[in-house]
Amino acid sequence: MFIALAPPDDAKDELARELRPALEAYPSLRWNRIEDWHITLAFLGELPVDAVPPLRAPLAELAASRPPLELGLSGGGHFDERVLWSGVDGDVAGLRLLAADVRAVVKACGIPFEDRPLNPHLTLARARRGDTGPVTGTAAALAGFTGRRWPAARLHLVGSNFGRGPGPIRYRDIESWAFTGR
């Protein structure tokens, strides 16, 4: 489970067009599905079902108190030459404040999680061990990419089917809340 922001479809399509040559050239990479692209604010890990209800009201209140953030997807990089990502630009300071507030809500609800420093990014693909060339090459090719800005309109509480059978990980919104503050 995690709490995230999701770029709108047209922003994801813009990045997908930029990635098309890499998608065709490197089918061995484990590409994330475009509909699952997200910017994680807090990774909660595997939680019991009864952990969700206490999060709903405070996350809804947090979203209602905030205006949408203006963000964009920009550039590319990699973690350990195995995980390909696109960077995030725009109101990154506001994004960091939002992540800190989201994490404070999670802590106040008594949910333990690993509070890693925020490195705003959108994960695109993973390489198999020993096959890092496609990741580093694609990250370099994305260096000049600058997508259009868009308002992050909703805060998402997301679950996955990780560990629930063969095939790719699939994400689903458990709930989401609009940013309606001024």
Side-chain angles (χ1 to χ4, degrees):
M1 199 173 298
F2 56 90
I3 301 166
L5 302 177
D9 289 345
D10 57 341
K12 292 189 288 188
D13 289 342
E14 185 178 36
L15 178 57
R17 281 191 299 277
E18 187 75 15
L19 284 170
R20 188 168 291 126
L23 286 163
E24 293 169 1
Y26 306 119
S28 65
L29 289 178
R30 291 178 301 168
W31 292 95
N32 290 2
R33 298 176 334 136
I34 188 171
E35 57 268 31
D36 290 337
W37 287 354
H38 63 274
I39 301 163
T40 301
L41 302 175
F43 181 76
L44 309 181
E46 192 166 330
L47 295 176
V49 173
D50 63 355
V52 172
L55 287 168
R56 285 188 162 112
L59 288 174
E61 185 177 313
L62 176 62
S65 72
R66 297 291 180 89
L69 294 170
E70 284 289 317
L71 301 173
L73 300 173
S74 178
H78 58 84
F79 298 124
D80 300 325
E81 298 183 341
R82 291 197 57 226
V83 178
L84 174 66
W85 50 262
S86 175
V88 177
D89 67 7
D91 188 1
V92 175
L95 180 62
R96 290 185 187 285
L97 288 172
L98 175 62
D101 288 347
V102 162
R103 292 166 182 212
V105 164
V106 172
K107 287 176 186 172
C109 289
I111 298 172
F113 71 102
E114 192 172 337
D115 196 3
R116 296 180 181 175
L118 181 69
N119 181 1
H121 69 281
L122 188 147
T123 301
L124 302 169
R126 289 173 177 77
R128 299 185 196 298
R129 295 204 187 285
D131 188 24
T132 59
V135 168
T136 56
T138 303
L142 280 177
F145 173 73
T146 301
R148 68 166 189 82
R149 296 282 171 93
W150 40 269
R154 302 187 72 78
L155 183 64
H156 300 264
L157 178 61
V158 182
S160 75
N161 70 343
F162 182 75
R164 295 194 176 26
I169 296 171
R170 305 251 188 229
Y171 300 118
R172 62 175 169 69
D173 267 7
I174 294 169
E175 194 157 344
S176 70
W177 304 272
F179 292 112
T180 57
R182 301 266 173 236

